[in-house]
Amino acid sequence: MNACVELPAVMQACRGRVGTVHLVGAGPGDPELLTLRAARLLARADVVVHDQLVGPGVLDLIGARAERIFVGKQRSRHSVEQGDINALLVRLARAGREVVRLKGGDPFVFGRGGEELQALAAAGVPFEVVPGITAACGVAAYAGIPLTHRDHAQSCTFVTGHLQDGSCELDWSALARPRQTVVIYMGLSALASIAARFVEHGLPADWPVAVVAQGTLAGQRVVASTLRDIAAEVAAAGLESPCLTIVGEVVRLRDELAWRGAASAIGAAAGG
Amino acid sequence: MNACVELPAVMQACRGRVGTVHLVGAGPGDPELLTLRAARLLARADVVVHDQLVGPGVLDLIGARAERIFVGKQRSRHSVEQGDINALLVRLARAGREVVRLKGGDPFVFGRGGEELQALAAAGVPFEVVPGITAACGVAAYAGIPLTHRDHAQSCTFVTGHLQDGSCELDWSALARPRQTVVIYMGLSALASIAARFVEHGLPADWPVAVVAQGTLAGQRVVASTLRDIAAEVAAAGLESPCLTIVGEVVRLRDELAWRGAASAIGAAAGG
């Protein structure tokens, strides 16, 4: 009890108090696409835990006094490290700190946000969720490719393009259909395989597909082609991960609707 | 020429200048979910053209000097009015005004944003697109329902629940599958029919489904049930459109992850 008296008042007030974890979507890259709430939370956080999909412009919005913890994940080590991240979040909150867990895009779309929240819930740590612009929406907007359109696509589907042990686990018969748009997150390493599967399952070889690198950032590059040629054209253009792949007739609308960097893209295979 | 000299300098500068149309997503309702860029554009716009899915809190962010034009659409009169909206946007831009075309959610997800941009492109009017938090992401975050989760859903699909002439045009065999999440925009009037179709096409009658009204707003209400019972429970709870329906095993995670208004939802069928 005597030791307690010697603590600064603010620290005493914090003793026993559990901080809140704010699971926040950072959006697709352009810091202007952060939500108002996300920007406010970043400015006042005690500590920000972020991964590699969060761009530098977004990190600039973190308040000067906040601690920053990078928890970028290696793809091959997901299962081990996810547990470490969960434990870190619990530990920080139990230390009474206001934590922003910042994830690229939207935390509930391929972000494993649900898994982290389950760990927090099990530990009795309070949390909130702030959605972010998911990469599909951000990239589509900046590339001039509507995800739905009455003439071309009545639905859109988001899948991940990570293949386990070289085998494709996607539900190809549901994906390889007309009148829908399929967006594949992070599919560059498997692009040739993915394009071939769409054709094997019934889409025409000249079906439109676009791959976007650095989506929404100043260095955004778009290669629009067909299922038959996309892998070769992306390789020739030298695009690098992370990328987003959009499959569907809506890709053709880019010829009319590309607006970003349009002036510099004239005559270039990769632009805008 | 003489008349020109008498115009104020600022108006002279504007003569012949074509304004830009900024196609902006307003997000799901909570104004805190607007992007930084959207908020900036609203504050400085000459005129804001918006529809009924944009909430009052968002409209409060429009600058005082801006003209506001409401172009809410009746569902039965889409085709006629869409042409009028397109023409209005072209006319405003040609008058040299900076136009924000503000749409609920994301303008490229069931927003007909692509159609409006095609009209602008055809008329030579410059535009940009600012993505918004689409309703599925906003509602999922605030309802504590991850759209994807390694244990339950590897993909998510967004569709509209509007039925034409009582017939269902959705691709049911692709939608009624395990290990994916399906989000149906605006499906309340057809909810019983939609739930029945999922069961007819192979999902169990006790498959989880949630309907969310007033998503992300203070009055948000969530009814979580099964395909068999959802229509009756939503009717009993008195939910009103616009609603969002989420179908998939991830709905069960809400039992652990509901965080918004959790204290007031105890013992209530519709809460949070």
Side-chain angles (χ1 to χ4, degrees), chain A residues 31-37 40 108 110 112 115 117-118 127-129 131-133 140-141 145-150 154-159 171 173 177 253 256-257 259, chain B residues 31-37 40 108 110 112 115 117-118 127-129 131-133 140-141 145-150 154-159 171 173 177 253 256-257 259:
Chain A
E32 284 287 294
L33 298 182
L34 215 64
T35 63
L36 299 176
R37 176 135 188 87
R40 271 191 250 280
F108 275 177
F110 308 124
R112 303 198 177 174
E115 293 175 51
L117 294 190
Q118 286 178 290
F127 55 82
E128 73 160 331
V129 187
I133 303 283
I145 301 173
L147 292 177
T148 68
H149 189 290
R150 282 192 291 178
Q154 271 72 52
S155 71
C156 59
T157 296
F158 302 162
V159 299
D171 187 351
S173 63
R177 294 176 185 233
L253 294 171
E256 294 170 70
L257 304 185
W259 57 273
Chain B
E32 285 287 295
L33 299 182
L34 215 64
T35 62
L36 299 175
R37 176 135 188 86
R40 271 191 251 279
F108 275 178
F110 308 124
R112 303 196 175 174
E115 294 176 52
L117 295 190
Q118 287 179 289
F127 55 81
E128 73 161 330
V129 187
I133 304 282
I145 301 173
L147 292 177
T148 68
H149 189 291
R150 281 192 292 179
Q154 271 71 54
S155 71
C156 59
T157 297
F158 302 162
V159 300
D171 188 350
S173 63
R177 295 178 185 230
L253 294 171
E256 293 170 71
L257 303 185
W259 56 274

Coordinates of all heavy atoms in Angstrom, one line a residue, chain A residues 31-37 40 108 110 112 115 117-118 127-129 131-133 140-141 145-150 154-159 171 173 177 253 256-257 259, chain B residues 31-37 40 108 110 112 115 117-118 127-129 131-133 140-141 145-150 154-159 171 173 177 253 256-257 259:
Chain A
P31 N -3.4 7.5 -47.7 CA -3.8 7.9 -46.4 C -5.1 8.8 -46.4 O -5.8 8.8 -45.4 CB -2.7 8.7 -45.9 CG -1.8 9.0 -47.0 CD -2.0 8.0 -48.1
E32 N -5.4 9.4 -47.6 CA -6.7 10.1 -47.7 C -7.9 9.2 -47.6 O -9.0 9.7 -47.4 CB -6.7 10.9 -49.0 CG -5.8 12.1 -49.1 CD -6.4 13.2 -48.2 OE1 -7.5 13.7 -48.6 OE2 -5.8 13.6 -47.2
L33 N -7.7 7.9 -47.7 CA -8.8 7.0 -47.7 C -9.0 6.4 -46.3 O -9.8 5.5 -46.1 CB -8.6 5.9 -48.7 CG -8.6 6.3 -50.2 CD1 -8.4 5.2 -51.1 CD2 -9.8 7.2 -50.5
L34 N -8.3 6.9 -45.3 CA -8.5 6.5 -43.9 C -9.9 7.1 -43.5 O -10.2 8.2 -44.0 CB -7.4 7.1 -43.1 CG -6.9 6.3 -41.8 CD1 -6.3 5.0 -42.3 CD2 -5.9 7.1 -41.0
T35 N -10.6 6.5 -42.6 CA -11.8 7.1 -42.1 C -11.5 8.2 -41.1 O -10.4 8.2 -40.5 CB -12.7 6.1 -41.4 OG1 -12.1 5.5 -40.3 CG2 -13.1 5.0 -42.4
L36 N -12.4 9.1 -40.9 CA -12.3 10.1 -39.8 C -12.0 9.5 -38.5 O -11.2 9.9 -37.7 CB -13.6 11.0 -39.8 CG -13.9 11.7 -41.0 CD1 -15.2 12.5 -40.8 CD2 -12.8 12.7 -41.4
R37 N -12.7 8.4 -38.2 CA -12.6 7.7 -36.9 C -11.2 7.1 -36.7 O -10.5 7.2 -35.7 CB -13.6 6.7 -36.6 CG -13.4 5.9 -35.4 CD -14.7 5.7 -34.6 NE -14.4 5.1 -33.2 CZ -14.1 5.8 -32.2 NH1 -14.1 7.1 -32.2 NH2 -13.9 5.2 -31.0
R40 N -8.6 9.8 -36.0 CA -8.7 10.3 -34.7 C -8.1 9.3 -33.7 O -7.3 9.7 -32.8 CB -10.2 10.5 -34.3 CG -10.7 11.9 -34.6 CD -12.1 12.1 -33.9 NE -13.1 12.1 -34.9 CZ -13.4 13.2 -35.6 NH1 -12.8 14.3 -35.5 NH2 -14.4 13.1 -36.5
F108 N -12.0 -7.1 -41.3 CA -12.8 -8.3 -41.4 C -12.9 -8.9 -42.8 O -13.6 -9.8 -43.0 CB -14.3 -8.0 -41.0 CG -14.5 -8.0 -39.5 CD1 -15.7 -7.6 -38.9 CD2 -13.5 -8.4 -38.6 CE1 -16.0 -7.7 -37.6 CE2 -13.7 -8.5 -37.2 CZ -15.0 -8.1 -36.7
F110 N -10.3 -10.9 -45.0 CA -9.0 -11.5 -45.0 C -8.0 -10.9 -44.1 O -6.8 -11.0 -44.3 CB -8.4 -11.5 -46.5 CG -9.4 -12.0 -47.5 CD1 -9.8 -11.3 -48.6 CD2 -10.0 -13.3 -47.3 CE1 -10.8 -11.7 -49.5 CE2 -10.9 -13.8 -48.2 CZ -11.3 -13.0 -49.3
R112 N -7.9 -11.5 -40.7 CA -7.8 -12.3 -39.4 C -8.2 -11.5 -38.2 O -7.8 -11.8 -37.1 CB -6.4 -12.8 -39.3 CG -6.0 -13.7 -40.5 CD -4.9 -14.6 -40.2 NE -4.7 -15.4 -41.4 CZ -3.7 -16.2 -41.5 NH1 -2.8 -16.4 -40.6 NH2 -3.6 -17.0 -42.6
E115 N -10.1 -13.5 -35.7 CA -9.3 -14.3 -34.8 C -8.7 -13.5 -33.6 O -8.6 -14.0 -32.5 CB -8.2 -15.0 -35.6 CG -8.8 -16.0 -36.6 CD -7.7 -16.6 -37.5 OE1 -6.7 -17.1 -36.9 OE2 -7.8 -16.6 -38.7
L117 N -9.9 -10.8 -32.4 CA -11.0 -10.4 -31.4 C -11.4 -11.6 -30.6 O -11.7 -11.4 -29.4 CB -12.2 -9.8 -32.2 CG -12.0 -8.5 -33.0 CD1 -13.3 -8.0 -33.5 CD2 -11.3 -7.5 -32.1
Q118 N -11.4 -12.8 -31.1 CA -11.8 -13.9 -30.3 C -10.8 -14.1 -29.1 O -11.2 -14.4 -28.0 CB -11.8 -15.2 -31.1 CG -13.0 -15.3 -32.1 CD -12.9 -16.5 -32.9 OE1 -12.1 -16.6 -33.8 NE2 -13.8 -17.5 -32.7
F127 N -13.0 -4.2 -26.8 CA -12.6 -3.8 -28.1 C -13.7 -3.1 -28.9 O -14.8 -3.2 -28.5 CB -12.0 -5.1 -28.9 CG -13.0 -6.2 -29.0 CD1 -14.0 -6.2 -30.0 CD2 -13.0 -7.3 -28.1 CE1 -14.9 -7.2 -30.1 CE2 -13.9 -8.3 -28.2 CZ -14.9 -8.3 -29.2
E128 N -13.2 -2.5 -30.0 CA -14.2 -2.0 -31.0 C -13.6 -2.3 -32.3 O -12.4 -2.5 -32.5 CB -14.4 -0.5 -30.8 CG -13.3 0.4 -31.2 CD -13.7 1.8 -31.6 OE1 -14.8 2.1 -32.0 OE2 -12.8 2.7 -31.4
V129 N -14.4 -2.2 -33.4 CA -14.0 -2.4 -34.7 C -14.3 -1.2 -35.6 O -15.4 -0.7 -35.6 CB -14.6 -3.7 -35.4 CG1 -14.0 -4.0 -36.7 CG2 -14.5 -4.9 -34.4
P131 N -14.2 -0.2 -39.5 CA -14.0 -0.8 -40.8 C -13.1 0.1 -41.6 O -13.0 1.3 -41.4 CB -15.4 -0.8 -41.4 CG -16.2 0.2 -40.6 CD -15.6 0.2 -39.2
G132 N -12.5 -0.5 -42.6 CA -11.6 0.3 -43.6 C -12.1 0.0 -45.0 O -12.8 -0.9 -45.2
I133 N -11.6 0.9 -45.9 CA -11.9 0.6 -47.3 C -11.1 -0.6 -47.7 O -9.9 -0.7 -47.6 CB -11.4 1.8 -48.2 CG1 -12.0 3.1 -47.8 CG2 -11.6 1.5 -49.7 CD1 -13.4 3.4 -48.2
A140 N -10.5 -0.7 -57.2 CA -11.5 -0.6 -58.3 C -11.8 0.9 -58.5 O -11.8 1.3 -59.7 CB -12.8 -1.3 -57.9
A141 N -11.9 1.7 -57.5 CA -12.2 3.1 -57.6 C -11.1 3.8 -58.4 O -11.3 4.6 -59.3 CB -12.5 3.8 -56.3
I145 N -12.7 0.8 -62.5 CA -13.3 -0.5 -62.8 C -14.5 -0.7 -61.8 O -14.2 -1.1 -60.6 CB -12.3 -1.6 -62.7 CG1 -11.2 -1.4 -63.6 CG2 -13.0 -3.0 -62.9 CD1 -10.0 -2.5 -63.5
P146 N -15.7 -0.4 -62.1 CA -16.8 -0.6 -61.2 C -16.9 -2.1 -60.9 O -16.9 -2.9 -61.8 CB -18.0 -0.1 -62.0 CG -17.5 0.7 -63.1 CD -16.1 0.2 -63.4
L147 N -17.1 -2.4 -59.6 CA -17.2 -3.8 -59.2 C -18.5 -4.4 -59.6 O -18.6 -5.6 -59.9 CB -17.0 -4.0 -57.7 CG -15.6 -3.7 -57.2 CD1 -15.5 -3.8 -55.7 CD2 -14.5 -4.6 -57.9
T148 N -19.6 -3.6 -59.7 CA -20.9 -4.1 -60.2 C -21.3 -3.1 -61.3 O -20.9 -1.9 -61.2 CB -21.9 -4.2 -59.1 OG1 -22.3 -2.9 -58.7 CG2 -21.5 -5.1 -57.9
H149 N -22.2 -3.6 -62.1 CA -22.7 -2.7 -63.2 C -23.9 -3.5 -63.8 O -23.8 -4.7 -64.1 CB -21.7 -2.5 -64.3 CG -22.1 -1.5 -65.3 ND1 -23.0 -1.7 -66.2 CD2 -21.6 -0.2 -65.5 CE1 -23.2 -0.6 -67.0 NE2 -22.3 0.3 -66.6
R150 N -25.0 -2.8 -64.0 CA -26.2 -3.5 -64.4 C -26.0 -4.3 -65.7 O -26.7 -5.4 -65.9 CB -27.4 -2.5 -64.5 CG -28.0 -2.2 -63.2 CD -29.3 -1.4 -63.4 NE -29.1 -0.1 -64.0 CZ -30.1 0.7 -64.3 NH1 -31.3 0.4 -64.1 NH2 -29.8 1.9 -64.8
Q154 N -23.8 -8.6 -61.6 CA -24.9 -8.4 -60.6 C -24.3 -8.7 -59.2 O -25.0 -8.5 -58.2 CB -26.1 -9.2 -60.8 CG -27.1 -8.6 -61.7 CD -26.7 -8.5 -63.1 OE1 -26.3 -9.5 -63.7 NE2 -26.7 -7.3 -63.7
S155 N -23.1 -9.2 -59.1 CA -22.5 -9.6 -57.8 C -21.0 -9.4 -57.9 O -20.4 -9.4 -59.0 CB -22.9 -11.0 -57.4 OG -22.2 -11.9 -58.2
C156 N -20.4 -9.4 -56.7 CA -18.9 -9.4 -56.7 C -18.5 -10.3 -55.5 O -19.2 -10.4 -54.5 CB -18.3 -8.0 -56.6 SG -18.8 -7.1 -55.2
T157 N -17.4 -11.0 -55.8 CA -16.9 -12.0 -54.8 C -15.4 -11.7 -54.5 O -14.7 -11.5 -55.5 CB -17.1 -13.4 -55.4 OG1 -18.4 -13.7 -55.6 CG2 -16.5 -14.5 -54.5
F158 N -15.1 -11.7 -53.3 CA -13.7 -11.5 -52.8 C -13.1 -12.9 -52.4 O -13.7 -13.5 -51.5 CB -13.6 -10.5 -51.7 CG -14.2 -9.2 -52.0 CD1 -14.5 -8.3 -50.9 CD2 -14.5 -8.7 -53.3 CE1 -15.1 -7.1 -51.2 CE2 -15.0 -7.5 -53.6 CZ -15.3 -6.6 -52.5
V159 N -12.0 -13.3 -52.9 CA -11.3 -14.5 -52.5 C -9.8 -14.2 -52.3 O -9.3 -13.2 -52.8 CB -11.5 -15.6 -53.5 CG1 -12.9 -16.0 -53.7 CG2 -10.8 -15.3 -54.8
D171 N -13.3 -22.4 -54.9 CA -14.5 -23.1 -55.4 C -14.7 -22.6 -56.9 O -15.5 -21.8 -57.2 CB -15.6 -22.7 -54.5 CG -16.9 -23.5 -54.9 OD1 -16.9 -24.2 -55.9 OD2 -17.8 -23.3 -54.1
S173 N -16.0 -23.7 -59.7 CA -17.3 -23.8 -60.4 C -18.2 -22.6 -60.0 O -19.0 -22.2 -60.8 CB -17.9 -25.1 -60.2 OG -18.3 -25.3 -58.8
R177 N -18.0 -17.9 -63.6 CA -19.3 -17.7 -64.2 C -19.4 -16.2 -64.7 O -18.7 -15.3 -64.2 CB -20.4 -17.8 -63.1 CG -20.4 -19.2 -62.6 CD -21.4 -19.3 -61.4 NE -21.4 -20.7 -60.9 CZ -22.4 -21.5 -60.7 NH1 -23.6 -21.0 -61.0 NH2 -22.3 -22.7 -60.2
L253 N -14.7 -1.7 -68.8 CA -15.1 -0.3 -68.6 C -14.0 0.7 -68.3 O -14.1 1.9 -68.5 CB -16.1 -0.3 -67.4 CG -17.4 -1.0 -67.7 CD1 -18.3 -1.1 -66.4 CD2 -18.2 -0.3 -68.8
E256 N -13.1 3.3 -70.8 CA -13.9 4.6 -70.7 C -13.6 5.4 -69.4 O -13.6 6.6 -69.4 CB -15.4 4.3 -70.7 CG -16.0 3.8 -71.9 CD -17.4 3.4 -71.7 OE1 -18.3 4.2 -71.5 OE2 -17.7 2.1 -71.6
L257 N -13.4 4.6 -68.3 CA -13.5 5.2 -67.0 C -12.2 5.5 -66.2 O -12.2 6.0 -65.1 CB -14.4 4.4 -66.1 CG -15.8 4.2 -66.6 CD1 -16.7 3.4 -65.6 CD2 -16.5 5.5 -67.0
W259 N -9.3 7.3 -64.8 CA -9.3 8.7 -64.6 C -8.0 9.1 -63.9 O -7.6 10.3 -64.0 CB -10.5 9.2 -63.7 CG -10.6 8.5 -62.4 CD1 -11.2 7.3 -62.2 CD2 -10.0 8.9 -61.1 NE1 -11.0 6.9 -60.8 CE2 -10.3 7.9 -60.2 CE3 -9.2 10.0 -60.7 CZ2 -9.9 7.9 -58.9 CZ3 -8.8 10.0 -59.4 CH2 -9.2 9.0 -58.5
Chain B
P31 N -21.2 9.0 -39.7 CA -20.4 10.0 -40.4 C -18.9 9.8 -40.0 O -18.0 10.3 -40.8 CB -20.9 11.4 -39.9 CG -21.8 11.1 -38.7 CD -22.2 9.7 -38.9
E32 N -18.6 9.2 -38.9 CA -17.2 8.9 -38.6 C -16.5 8.0 -39.5 O -15.3 7.8 -39.6 CB -17.1 8.4 -37.2 CG -17.3 9.4 -36.1 CD -16.1 10.3 -35.9 OE1 -15.0 9.8 -35.6 OE2 -16.2 11.5 -36.2
L33 N -17.3 7.3 -40.4 CA -16.8 6.3 -41.3 C -16.6 6.9 -42.7 O -16.2 6.3 -43.6 CB -17.7 5.1 -41.4 CG -17.8 4.3 -40.1 CD1 -18.7 3.1 -40.3 CD2 -16.4 3.9 -39.5
L34 N -16.8 8.2 -42.8 CA -16.4 8.9 -44.0 C -14.9 8.9 -44.2 O -14.2 9.0 -43.1 CB -16.9 10.4 -43.9 CG -17.4 11.0 -45.2 CD1 -18.7 10.3 -45.8 CD2 -17.8 12.5 -44.9
T35 N -14.4 8.9 -45.4 CA -12.9 9.1 -45.5 C -12.5 10.5 -45.4 O -13.3 11.5 -45.5 CB -12.5 8.6 -46.9 OG1 -13.0 9.4 -47.9 CG2 -12.9 7.1 -47.2
L36 N -11.2 10.7 -45.1 CA -10.6 12.0 -45.0 C -10.9 12.8 -46.3 O -11.3 14.0 -46.3 CB -9.1 12.0 -44.7 CG -8.8 11.3 -43.3 CD1 -7.2 11.2 -43.3 CD2 -9.3 12.0 -42.2
R37 N -10.7 12.1 -47.4 CA -10.8 12.8 -48.7 C -12.3 13.2 -48.9 O -12.6 14.3 -49.4 CB -10.4 12.0 -49.8 CG -10.6 12.6 -51.2 CD -9.4 12.5 -52.1 NE -9.6 13.2 -53.4 CZ -9.4 14.5 -53.5 NH1 -8.8 15.2 -52.5 NH2 -9.6 15.1 -54.6
R40 N -13.1 16.3 -46.9 CA -12.5 17.5 -47.5 C -13.4 18.0 -48.7 O -13.6 19.2 -48.9 CB -11.1 17.2 -47.9 CG -10.1 17.5 -46.8 CD -8.7 17.5 -47.4 NE -7.9 16.3 -47.0 CZ -7.4 16.1 -45.8 NH1 -7.4 17.1 -44.9 NH2 -6.7 15.0 -45.5
F108 N -19.1 2.1 -56.3 CA -18.9 1.0 -57.3 C -19.5 -0.3 -56.9 O -19.2 -1.3 -57.5 CB -17.4 0.9 -57.7 CG -16.9 1.8 -58.7 CD1 -15.6 1.8 -59.1 CD2 -17.7 2.7 -59.4 CE1 -15.1 2.7 -60.1 CE2 -17.3 3.6 -60.4 CZ -15.9 3.6 -60.7
F110 N -23.0 -1.7 -56.3 CA -24.5 -1.5 -56.4 C -24.9 0.0 -56.3 O -26.0 0.3 -56.0 CB -25.2 -2.3 -55.3 CG -24.8 -3.7 -55.2 CD1 -24.4 -4.3 -54.1 CD2 -24.9 -4.5 -56.4 CE1 -24.0 -5.6 -54.0 CE2 -24.6 -5.8 -56.3 CZ -24.1 -6.4 -55.2
R112 N -24.5 2.1 -59.0 CA -24.7 2.7 -60.4 C -23.7 3.8 -60.7 O -23.9 4.6 -61.6 CB -26.1 3.2 -60.6 CG -27.1 2.0 -60.3 CD -28.4 2.3 -60.9 NE -29.2 1.1 -60.7 CZ -30.5 1.0 -61.0 NH1 -31.1 2.0 -61.5 NH2 -31.1 -0.1 -60.7
E115 N -22.4 3.7 -64.2 CA -23.3 4.3 -65.3 C -23.2 5.8 -65.3 O -23.2 6.4 -66.4 CB -24.7 3.8 -65.0 CG -24.9 2.3 -65.2 CD -26.3 1.9 -64.8 OE1 -27.3 2.5 -65.3 OE2 -26.4 1.0 -64.0
L117 N -20.6 7.6 -64.4 CA -19.3 8.0 -65.0 C -19.3 7.8 -66.5 O -18.6 8.6 -67.2 CB -18.2 7.2 -64.4 CG -17.9 7.4 -62.9 CD1 -16.7 6.7 -62.5 CD2 -17.9 8.9 -62.5
Q118 N -20.0 6.8 -67.0 CA -20.0 6.6 -68.5 C -20.6 7.8 -69.1 O -20.2 8.3 -70.2 CB -20.7 5.3 -68.8 CG -19.9 4.1 -68.5 CD -20.7 2.8 -68.8 OE1 -21.7 2.5 -68.1 NE2 -20.3 2.1 -69.9
F127 N -13.7 13.6 -64.0 CA -14.2 13.1 -62.8 C -13.1 12.3 -62.0 O -12.1 12.0 -62.6 CB -15.4 12.1 -63.1 CG -15.1 11.0 -64.0 CD1 -14.4 9.8 -63.6 CD2 -15.5 11.1 -65.3 CE1 -14.1 8.8 -64.4 CE2 -15.2 10.0 -66.2 CZ -14.5 8.9 -65.8
E128 N -13.4 12.1 -60.7 CA -12.6 11.2 -59.9 C -13.6 10.4 -59.1 O -14.7 10.7 -59.0 CB -11.7 12.0 -59.0 CG -12.4 12.7 -57.8 CD -11.4 13.0 -56.7 OE1 -10.4 12.4 -56.5 OE2 -11.7 14.0 -56.0
V129 N -13.0 9.3 -58.5 CA -13.8 8.4 -57.7 C -13.2 8.3 -56.3 O -12.0 8.0 -56.2 CB -13.9 7.0 -58.4 CG1 -14.9 6.1 -57.6 CG2 -14.3 7.1 -59.8
P131 N -13.6 6.0 -53.1 CA -14.3 4.9 -52.6 C -14.9 5.2 -51.2 O -14.3 6.0 -50.4 CB -13.3 3.8 -52.5 CG -12.0 4.5 -52.4 CD -12.2 5.8 -53.2
G132 N -15.9 4.4 -50.8 CA -16.5 4.5 -49.4 C -16.5 3.2 -48.8 O -16.3 2.2 -49.5
I133 N -16.7 3.2 -47.5 CA -16.9 1.9 -46.8 C -18.2 1.3 -47.3 O -19.3 1.9 -47.1 CB -17.0 2.1 -45.2 CG1 -15.8 2.8 -44.7 CG2 -17.3 0.8 -44.6 CD1 -14.6 2.0 -44.6
A140 N -20.9 -5.3 -40.9 CA -20.2 -6.4 -40.3 C -19.3 -6.0 -39.1 O -19.3 -6.6 -38.1 CB -19.3 -7.1 -41.4
A141 N -18.6 -4.9 -39.3 CA -17.7 -4.4 -38.3 C -18.5 -4.1 -37.0 O -18.2 -4.5 -35.9 CB -16.9 -3.2 -38.7
I145 N -19.4 -9.3 -36.8 CA -19.5 -10.5 -37.7 C -18.4 -10.4 -38.8 O -18.6 -9.7 -39.8 CB -20.9 -10.6 -38.4 CG1 -22.0 -10.6 -37.4 CG2 -20.9 -11.8 -39.3 CD1 -23.4 -10.6 -37.9
P146 N -17.3 -11.1 -38.6 CA -16.2 -11.0 -39.6 C -16.7 -11.6 -40.9 O -17.4 -12.7 -40.9 CB -15.1 -11.9 -39.0 CG -15.4 -12.0 -37.5 CD -16.9 -11.9 -37.4
L147 N -16.5 -10.9 -42.0 CA -16.9 -11.5 -43.3 C -16.2 -12.7 -43.7 O -16.7 -13.5 -44.4 CB -16.9 -10.4 -44.4 CG -17.9 -9.2 -44.2 CD1 -17.7 -8.1 -45.2 CD2 -19.3 -9.7 -44.2
T148 N -14.9 -12.8 -43.4 CA -14.1 -14.0 -43.6 C -13.5 -14.4 -42.3 O -13.3 -13.6 -41.4 CB -13.0 -13.7 -44.7 OG1 -12.0 -12.9 -44.1 CG2 -13.5 -13.1 -46.0
H149 N -13.2 -15.7 -42.3 CA -12.5 -16.3 -41.1 C -12.0 -17.6 -41.5 O -12.7 -18.4 -42.1 CB -13.6 -16.4 -40.0 CG -13.0 -16.8 -38.6 ND1 -12.4 -18.1 -38.4 CD2 -12.8 -16.1 -37.5 CE1 -12.0 -18.1 -37.2 NE2 -12.2 -16.9 -36.6
R150 N -10.7 -17.9 -41.1 CA -10.1 -19.1 -41.6 C -10.9 -20.4 -41.3 O -10.9 -21.4 -42.0 CB -8.7 -19.3 -41.1 CG -7.7 -18.4 -41.8 CD -6.3 -18.7 -41.4 NE -6.0 -18.4 -40.0 CZ -4.8 -18.6 -39.4 NH1 -3.9 -19.2 -40.1 NH2 -4.7 -18.2 -38.2
Q154 N -13.9 -18.7 -46.6 CA -12.7 -18.3 -47.3 C -13.0 -17.2 -48.4 O -12.1 -16.7 -49.1 CB -12.1 -19.5 -48.1 CG -11.1 -20.2 -47.3 CD -11.7 -21.0 -46.1 OE1 -12.6 -21.7 -46.4 NE2 -11.2 -20.7 -44.9
S155 N -14.3 -16.9 -48.5 CA -14.6 -15.9 -49.5 C -15.9 -15.2 -49.0 O -16.6 -15.7 -48.2 CB -14.9 -16.5 -50.9 OG -16.1 -17.2 -50.9
C156 N -16.2 -14.0 -49.6 CA -17.4 -13.3 -49.4 C -18.0 -12.8 -50.7 O -17.2 -12.3 -51.6 CB -17.3 -12.3 -48.3 SG -16.2 -10.9 -48.6
T157 N -19.3 -12.8 -50.8 CA -20.0 -12.4 -52.0 C -21.0 -11.4 -51.7 O -21.8 -11.6 -50.7 CB -20.6 -13.6 -52.7 OG1 -19.6 -14.6 -53.1 CG2 -21.4 -13.2 -54.0
F158 N -21.1 -10.3 -52.5 CA -22.1 -9.3 -52.3 C -23.1 -9.4 -53.4 O -22.7 -9.4 -54.6 CB -21.5 -7.9 -52.3 CG -20.4 -7.7 -51.3 CD1 -19.5 -6.6 -51.4 CD2 -20.3 -8.5 -50.1 CE1 -18.5 -6.4 -50.4 CE2 -19.3 -8.3 -49.2 CZ -18.4 -7.2 -49.3
V159 N -24.4 -9.4 -53.1 CA -25.4 -9.4 -54.1 C -26.5 -8.5 -53.7 O -26.6 -8.1 -52.6 CB -26.0 -10.9 -54.3 CG1 -25.0 -11.9 -54.8 CG2 -26.7 -11.3 -53.1
D171 N -27.9 -16.3 -58.6 CA -27.3 -17.5 -59.1 C -27.2 -18.4 -57.8 O -26.1 -18.6 -57.2 CB -25.9 -17.2 -59.6 CG -25.2 -18.4 -60.3 OD1 -25.7 -19.5 -60.1 OD2 -24.2 -18.2 -60.9
S173 N -27.1 -21.6 -57.1 CA -26.2 -22.7 -56.9 C -24.8 -22.3 -56.5 O -24.1 -23.0 -55.9 CB -26.2 -23.6 -58.2 OG -25.7 -22.9 -59.3
R177 N -23.6 -22.3 -50.7 CA -22.5 -23.2 -50.5 C -21.9 -22.9 -49.1 O -22.0 -21.7 -48.6 CB -21.4 -22.9 -51.5 CG -21.9 -23.4 -52.9 CD -20.8 -23.1 -53.9 NE -21.4 -23.4 -55.3 CZ -20.8 -24.1 -56.2 NH1 -19.6 -24.7 -55.9 NH2 -21.3 -24.4 -57.3
L253 N -20.2 -16.1 -34.9 CA -19.1 -15.4 -34.1 C -19.6 -14.2 -33.4 O -19.0 -13.7 -32.4 CB -18.0 -15.0 -35.1 CG -17.3 -16.2 -35.7 CD1 -16.3 -15.7 -36.8 CD2 -16.5 -17.0 -34.6
E256 N -19.7 -14.1 -29.7 CA -18.4 -13.8 -29.0 C -18.1 -12.3 -29.2 O -17.4 -11.7 -28.3 CB -17.2 -14.6 -29.5 CG -17.3 -16.1 -29.2 CD -16.1 -16.8 -30.0 OE1 -15.0 -16.6 -29.6 OE2 -16.5 -17.5 -30.9
L257 N -18.3 -11.8 -30.4 CA -17.7 -10.6 -30.9 C -18.6 -9.3 -30.9 O -18.1 -8.3 -31.2 CB -17.1 -10.8 -32.3 CG -16.1 -12.0 -32.4 CD1 -15.5 -12.0 -33.8 CD2 -15.0 -11.9 -31.3
W259 N -19.9 -6.1 -29.9 CA -19.2 -5.1 -29.0 C -20.0 -3.8 -28.9 O -19.9 -3.1 -27.9 CB -17.8 -4.8 -29.5 CG -17.8 -4.3 -30.9 CD1 -17.7 -5.0 -32.1 CD2 -17.8 -2.9 -31.3 NE1 -17.7 -4.2 -33.1 CE2 -17.8 -2.9 -32.7 CE3 -17.9 -1.7 -30.6 CZ2 -17.8 -1.7 -33.5 CZ3 -17.9 -0.5 -31.3 CH2 -17.9 -0.5 -32.8

